[in-house]
């Protein structure tokens, strides 16, 4: 059979007579394209969830207004009143407002103190070790750990299991 290779953007299409096979790209640039496409899909998914949450927020607000003013419920909300009423009853002051699809890094500020892990690059000099000790003293509620030969992803896993909120990696450029 006759085989033709076509290169379109970041995928290779191999067509043999009637059927086509799609092979994934293999170079680093195409991996970046796949990552960007995945991030776009995740963003759009989170944004679609926020529109659903926004419509729920508006419905809850209309129910709250009707109940506080002693007016009858709007007819379009009567079917979903039971579910929305239990949601309204379980909300506290923090969750009563409308939320955004963008992560709020300071959303829990004031509720709990951050725990910071300070570490160095793989083979730190004595000056870098001293600097990391000083950073530990400067940052409140921080802990300094020796990195050793651990990779950054291993450090992140350890920090997650140890309930650290932040990870500071101090490194130097030697000239």
């Amino acid at each position: 059979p006759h085989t033709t290779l076509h290169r379109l953007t970041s995928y290779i299409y191999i067509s043999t007579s009637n059927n086509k096979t799609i092979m994934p790209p293999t170079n680093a640039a195409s991996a970046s394209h796949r990552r960007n496409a995945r991030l776009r899909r995740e963003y759009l998914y989170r944004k679609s969830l926020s529109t659903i949450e926004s419509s729920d927020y508006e419905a809850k607000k209309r129910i709250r207004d009707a109940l506080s003013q002693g007016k009858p419920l709007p007819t379009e909300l009567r079917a979903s009143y039971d579910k929305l009423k239990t949601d309204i009853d379980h909300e506290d002051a923090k969750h009563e407002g409308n939320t955004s699809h963008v992560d709020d890094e300071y959303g829990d500020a004031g509720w709990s103190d951050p725990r910071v892990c300070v570490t160095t690059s793989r083979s730190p000099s004595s000056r870098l070790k001293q600097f990391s000790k000083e950073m530990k003293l400067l940052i409140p509620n921080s802990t300094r750990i020796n990195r050793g030969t651990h990779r950054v992803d291993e450090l992140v896993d350890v920090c997650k299991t140890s309930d650290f909120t932040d990870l500071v990696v101090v490194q130097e450029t030697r000239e």
Side-chain angles (χ1 to χ4, degrees), residues 43-56 101:
Y43 172 78
L44 292 173
Y45 175 70
R46 284 193 314 269
K47 194 167 181 173
S48 70
L49 288 180
S50 75
T51 57
I52 293 169
E53 290 173 1
S54 178
S55 65
D56 284 349
H101 67 279

Side-chain angles (χ1 to χ4, degrees), residues 9-129:
T9 61
S10 63
Y11 290 93
I12 299 174
Y13 295 93
I14 301 175
S15 57
T16 54
S17 57
N18 292 340
N19 57 0
K20 292 184 178 180
T21 307
I22 300 174
M23 294 178 58
T26 56
N27 59 10
S30 59
S32 175
H33 289 296
R34 287 194 311 266
R35 180 178 180 274
N36 288 339
R38 178 181 51 82
L39 290 174
R40 273 193 303 266
R41 282 192 310 269
E42 289 174 359
Y43 172 78
L44 292 173
Y45 175 70
R46 284 193 314 269
K47 194 167 181 173
S48 70
L49 288 180
S50 75
T51 57
I52 293 169
E53 290 173 1
S54 178
S55 65
D56 284 349
Y57 170 75
E58 290 297 324
K60 289 177 193 176
K61 184 177 180 217
R62 291 177 62 198
I63 288 175
R64 276 193 205 101
D65 291 343
L67 291 176
S68 67
Q69 296 172 1
K71 293 182 179 178
L73 291 174
T75 55
E76 63 271 8
L77 297 177
R78 289 183 184 165
S80 61
Y81 170 74
D82 292 331
K83 178 191 174 301
L84 292 175
K85 180 63 177 152
T86 56
D87 288 347
I88 291 171
D89 291 341
H90 290 108
E91 288 177 346
D92 56 359
K94 180 181 175 188
H95 296 96
E96 186 174 310
N98 195 3
T99 58
S100 171
H101 67 279
V102 178
D103 291 337
D104 185 9
E105 121 179 68
Y106 302 107
D108 291 331
W111 292 92
S112 63
D113 290 333
R115 287 191 62 213
V116 180
C117 176
V118 178
T119 188
T120 62
S121 56
R122 280 193 185 225
S123 57
S125 65
S126 60
R127 293 177 69 195
L128 186 64
K129 286 180 188 176

